[in-house]
Amino acid sequence: MLSRYRTKGRHSREGGNPEKNWIPGQARNDTHDMRHLVMGIAWLLLFTFYFSLSTVSAAADPPKRIISLAPNMTEVLFALGLGDRIVGVTSFCDYPPEAKKKPRIGGMSNPSLEAVVRLKPDIVVMTTDGNPKEFEERLKSMGIRTFVSTARRLSDLPEGVRDLGAALGVKKKADEFADNFEKALVKARARQSHSGAHRKKVLFIVWPDPLIVAGPDTVIDDALTLIGAENIASDAKTEYPKYSVEEVLRRSPDLIIIGRGMDSGDVKKVSAGLLRRLGSLPAVKQNRVFFVGDGLFRLGPRTLKGIAEISPLMDGQ
Amino acid sequence: MKTRFAALVIIFSAVVAVSLFLGPTPINPFLPDETSREILTSIRAPRIAVAVLMGMALGASGAVLQGILRNPLADPYILGISSGASLTAAIGIIGGVTVLGTFTIPAFAFAGAIITGGIVGIMGWKRGGLWPERLLLAGVGLSFLFSALLMLIMSISRDEGIRRAMLWIFGDLSMSDWERVPYGAVLVFGGIALSLWRAKALNALILGDEFAHSLGFAPQTERVLLFVSVGLMTAASVSLGGMIGFIGLLMPHIARFFTGSDNRLLVPASALGGGALLCVADLIARTALPPMELPAGIITAIIGAPYFLYLLRRKDVLSI
């Protein structure tokens, strides 16, 4: 349509006097085209106006009601000072203690859609590490904004937090958090290169019975690598494999680290049987079995504490 | 008989209505606010529609299958259809396939169910017809094979897919969407219509092939038609929301206590009963421990089994 219009324009210029080329009907066509063009431009303007309006309002109005569908994201949100804007969390969100007082919307893999909608969130913060994709799609189809964190590895977190901060209107605080996190990682690495010595072989047990250990592509594996240790299960096929006790004996780790979750005080008792079976290992005989907190179980602000906790363990002989 | 059936229809409608407005927070049907309206139309209503369709499909296909296999222990899952569906669905979930968006997993499950149904049909086919014992044994054999493969895949795969797959295997209605309702409705009502149309033949088949033949029915043709209707209904139900136990096996028996063995009444009664039961089970599943959602399949058996045992003790019926 546009090209036809142009041709016609050129034609009339060449023809000099437009009156001469005047044919009944063509004029009507001309105005017709004109009207379409005007309509098109008006439409475009309307759109631009609408979008500029919506982006402006979004920038001026950061999300006030936030729902977090992942424990680690809840911790990040609190760390960014957004605690009072959180209106809903999962039943796994137990840190910081204030998080326990927030309304619950169900589990991570099966949050209740109804509960989420009822809380009228401005944004729902999710993770690809545990939240179903269908849930995100359902929320989107109902016009609810989502922020999906794809950070799953140690080095992903700072960037993820920066993006989150931008989406939630706390860019400055998020940048600060990310910078500090990055600095802490560099420091942990530096410490390792000074301590020298040989790489310690480590087995990180997530749960002793059945034996579940931290495999490759996990935050724990990243942390071990960062502090210069070698994860003996890093060649496993899955992230948290059910591991063969035989293989632990064969690979003989220099030290064994057992993580304990928040509310599992009995992990020591549960590990007794496993440690008995591993009794012939030098690590067990020489008492190089350590229990640590759950800092490394979640990729969030406490991950640094988790690294600080295991880092000194590498210093012994 | 007619009044009992009418009572069943009324109970069914009441259950559907009640479960629409009850939930973690009850909704006042006369004064819904905006959020409630949204919850009602885009979360609860599709969920109830899916529950009803699944329950109906399982109840009706259970009744038909017990008839064509002449076995009171037959249920739609015994043919391995659900194991096949779970296997392909789990492959889809764990493999992270998303070609068809939210429709991917139902499509995978449906394909798995139809393929399994086809294999069972081929296995059960000998000398120009389907034989009940062959179907049953082929189904049980395939079912073991597919369950084992499923367990194998789950034990060697990564963490998050498994959680999702587990939910799906235990029956999960929480993600039900309007998107799935139309195709589900077509298949389920199509299956029910087909089995109602052949209900008289099914009555005859229960009495034996010779008897059916002497009544003017071609036993093998009827069996194939009925088998196809069972396959369609089961495949639709598994692909709508995973596996829900109990209904397919025991709802026909519960219905039989009330309507007798005439399949013209038994099939629709099992369908209505199954739909109502799953609807209630899902209502309890989402209301009992809010905001946690329990798998509806567990609730169906918990509320259904005691009632079945009570009826079994009270009613004087010896056979199907």
Side-chain angles (χ1 to χ4, degrees):
Chain A
M1 182 139 309
L2 203 61
S3 66
R4 196 145 62 101
Y5 193 75
R6 264 200 214 117
T7 334
K8 225 174 272 162
R10 202 183 323 125
H11 186 80
S12 56
R13 249 199 323 276
E14 280 163 8
N17 188 357
E19 299 290 331
K20 266 187 183 167
N21 297 331
W22 188 83
I23 304 161
Q26 199 162 357
R28 208 179 59 222
N29 250 345
D30 252 351
T31 47
H32 224 77
D33 280 351
M34 203 56 186
R35 198 178 300 152
H36 280 301
L37 198 72
V38 170
M39 282 301 280
I41 291 168
W43 185 234
L44 263 178
L45 279 178
L46 200 71
F47 248 86
T48 338
F49 179 66
Y50 173 78
F51 273 109
S52 58
L53 202 73
S54 63
T55 45
V56 166
S57 70
D61 210 19
K64 290 237 165 54
R65 299 177 63 82
I66 306 171
I67 288 181
S68 163
L69 291 190
N72 69 323
M73 295 316 282
T74 305
E75 291 190 26
V76 170
L77 291 170
F78 270 100
L80 297 182
L82 297 169
D84 47 353
R85 284 204 235 158
I86 298 177
V87 295
V89 295
T90 71
S91 46
F92 298 104
C93 296
D94 50 7
Y95 195 92
E98 294 95 294
K100 287 192 197 170
K101 294 183 200 127
K102 299 286 182 184
R104 302 292 161 95
I105 49 76
M108 265 183 95
S109 57
N110 58 342
S112 160
L113 200 53
E114 248 189 75
V116 170
V117 172
R118 191 165 287 285
L119 288 168
K120 296 185 191 157
D122 296 325
I123 194 165
V124 177
V125 177
M126 306 180 67
T127 168
T128 50
D129 193 8
N131 293 140
K133 182 129 187 43
E134 295 98 312
F135 200 82
E136 185 206 339
E137 277 158 12
R138 274 311 283 280
L139 290 177
K140 271 197 205 148
S141 76
M142 296 176 72
I144 295 175
R145 236 177 107 191
T146 55
F147 177 90
V148 183
S149 159
T150 52
R152 312 181 63 148
R153 306 289 293 271
L154 206 49
S155 52
D156 299 338
L157 187 69
E159 209 45 54
V161 171
R162 282 192 188 103
D163 291 345
L164 179 70
L168 296 180
V170 284
K171 202 168 173 330
K172 209 170 143 231
K173 205 132 191 198
D175 288 343
E176 206 178 293
F177 177 98
D179 293 344
N180 285 339
F181 200 90
E182 276 164 351
K183 267 183 218 145
L185 293 187
V186 171
K187 224 164 131 187
R189 193 191 302 274
R191 179 192 153 89
Q192 165 253 319
S193 54
H194 288 306
S195 65
H198 83 292
R199 274 162 70 93
K200 290 265 165 51
K201 288 190 289 173
V202 177
L203 179 70
F204 195 110
I205 296 176
V206 175
W207 188 249
D209 186 20
L211 179 59
I212 308 287
V213 306
D217 303 337
T218 58
V219 173
I220 295 173
D221 188 73
D222 288 345
L224 289 173
T225 312
L226 183 80
I227 60 171
E230 183 194 340
N231 179 5
I232 65 162
S234 63
D235 61 342
K237 293 284 173 290
T238 63
E239 290 168 330
Y240 295 97
K242 192 167 159 240
Y243 211 70
S244 141
V245 177
E246 219 175 275
E247 201 59 22
V248 178
L249 289 172
R250 188 171 298 138
R251 298 189 183 193
S252 182
D254 295 320
L255 52 132
I256 296 176
I257 303 176
I258 303 179
R260 58 185 139 72
M262 280 293 262
D263 300 317
S264 50
D266 59 344
V267 88
K268 277 190 182 167
K269 262 188 236 159
V270 182
S271 348
L274 173 75
L275 293 178
R276 214 168 25 245
R277 274 187 290 161
L278 294 176
S280 62
L281 281 180
V284 178
K285 276 188 192 154
Q286 294 158 21
N287 224 356
R288 273 179 280 123
V289 179
F290 303 97
F291 289 87
V292 299
D294 64 341
L296 291 176
F297 288 178
R298 282 180 196 166
L299 185 55
R302 286 188 302 142
T303 310
L304 294 177
K305 275 188 207 154
I307 296 175
E309 204 175 350
I310 60 167
S311 178
L313 303 180
M314 306 302 144
D315 294 343
Q317 304 97 13
Chain B
M1 225 41 93
K2 280 228 173 96
T3 46
R4 280 183 181 178
F5 197 80
L8 189 55
V9 173
I10 292 168
I11 291 174
F12 172 81
S13 324
V15 161
V16 171
V18 164
S19 53
L20 201 51
F21 297 109
L22 283 185
T25 23
I27 293 175
N28 179 347
F30 304 107
L31 291 164
D33 57 38
E34 202 189 320
T35 320
S36 299
R37 207 171 298 140
E38 168 133 46
I39 288 176
L40 214 55
T41 54
S42 51
I43 301 178
R44 276 194 206 167
R47 197 172 166 156
I48 286 165
V50 167
V52 165
L53 284 174
M54 282 180 74
M56 288 184 112
L58 292 172
S61 58
V64 174
L65 204 58
Q66 287 170 5
I68 51 176
L69 298 181
R70 290 187 210 117
N71 188 325
L73 289 180
D75 84 343
Y77 295 158
I78 214 167
L79 291 182
I81 290 178
S82 55
S83 319
S86 308
L87 180 63
T88 46
I91 291 173
I93 293 174
I94 290 167
V97 189
T98 51
V99 273
L100 301 170
T102 49
F103 218 66
T104 317
I105 304 308
F108 262 67
F110 189 76
I114 291 294
I115 292 169
T116 317
I119 300 176
V120 172
I122 292 168
M123 293 288 171
W125 188 274
K126 207 84 219 185
R127 276 182 278 148
L130 288 174
W131 301 96
E133 293 77 11
R134 293 187 66 92
L135 282 177
L136 206 54
L137 290 174
V140 173
L142 273 178
S143 173
F144 270 108
L145 175 63
F146 288 156
S147 308
L149 288 177
L150 179 65
M151 293 302 154
L152 180 67
I153 289 179
M154 306 230 324
S155 55
I156 57 171
S157 62
R158 291 185 171 237
D159 193 42
E160 80 240 58
I162 298 180
R163 263 178 295 175
R164 193 73 203 127
M166 287 292 272
L167 269 185
W168 196 87
I169 288 161
F170 285 130
D172 178 33
L173 296 170
S174 66
M175 283 296 129
S176 305
D177 199 344
W178 281 123
E179 201 178 35
R180 299 185 195 178
V181 173
Y183 93 95
V186 167
L187 290 168
V188 172
F189 290 125
I192 292 177
L194 183 59
S195 48
L196 277 180
W197 176 47
R198 302 321 302 164
K200 260 182 145 170
L202 182 57
N203 285 341
L205 276 179
I206 292 175
L207 300 171
D209 283 10
E210 292 84 5
F211 201 86
H213 192 76
S214 71
L215 286 176
F217 296 108
Q220 293 302 357
T221 320
E222 301 295 351
R223 207 151 29 226
V224 171
L225 278 177
L226 289 163
F227 180 72
V228 168
S229 86
V230 167
L232 286 182
M233 288 190 279
T234 313
S237 128
V238 186
S239 104
L240 282 173
M243 281 165 68
I244 303 285
F246 184 82
I247 295 178
L249 181 58
L250 289 178
M251 190 41 83
H253 293 291
I254 292 177
R256 227 171 252 126
F257 286 128
F258 292 104
T259 64
S261 313
D262 182 352
N263 280 293
R264 284 171 299 177
L265 277 176
L266 178 61
V267 170
S270 302
L272 288 177
L277 177 58
L278 190 50
C279 209
V280 173
D282 183 51
L283 172 65
I284 295 174
R286 63 191 147 92
T287 316
L289 300 169
M292 207 170 102
E293 303 223 342
L294 304 167
I298 294 173
I299 313 286
T300 47
I302 289 178
I303 57 178
Y307 182 60
F308 167 74
L309 294 172
Y310 160 80
L311 284 178
L312 185 66
R313 192 63 227 143
R314 290 294 298 271
K315 299 269 176 169
D316 185 23
V317 179
L318 289 180
S319 67
I320 57 161

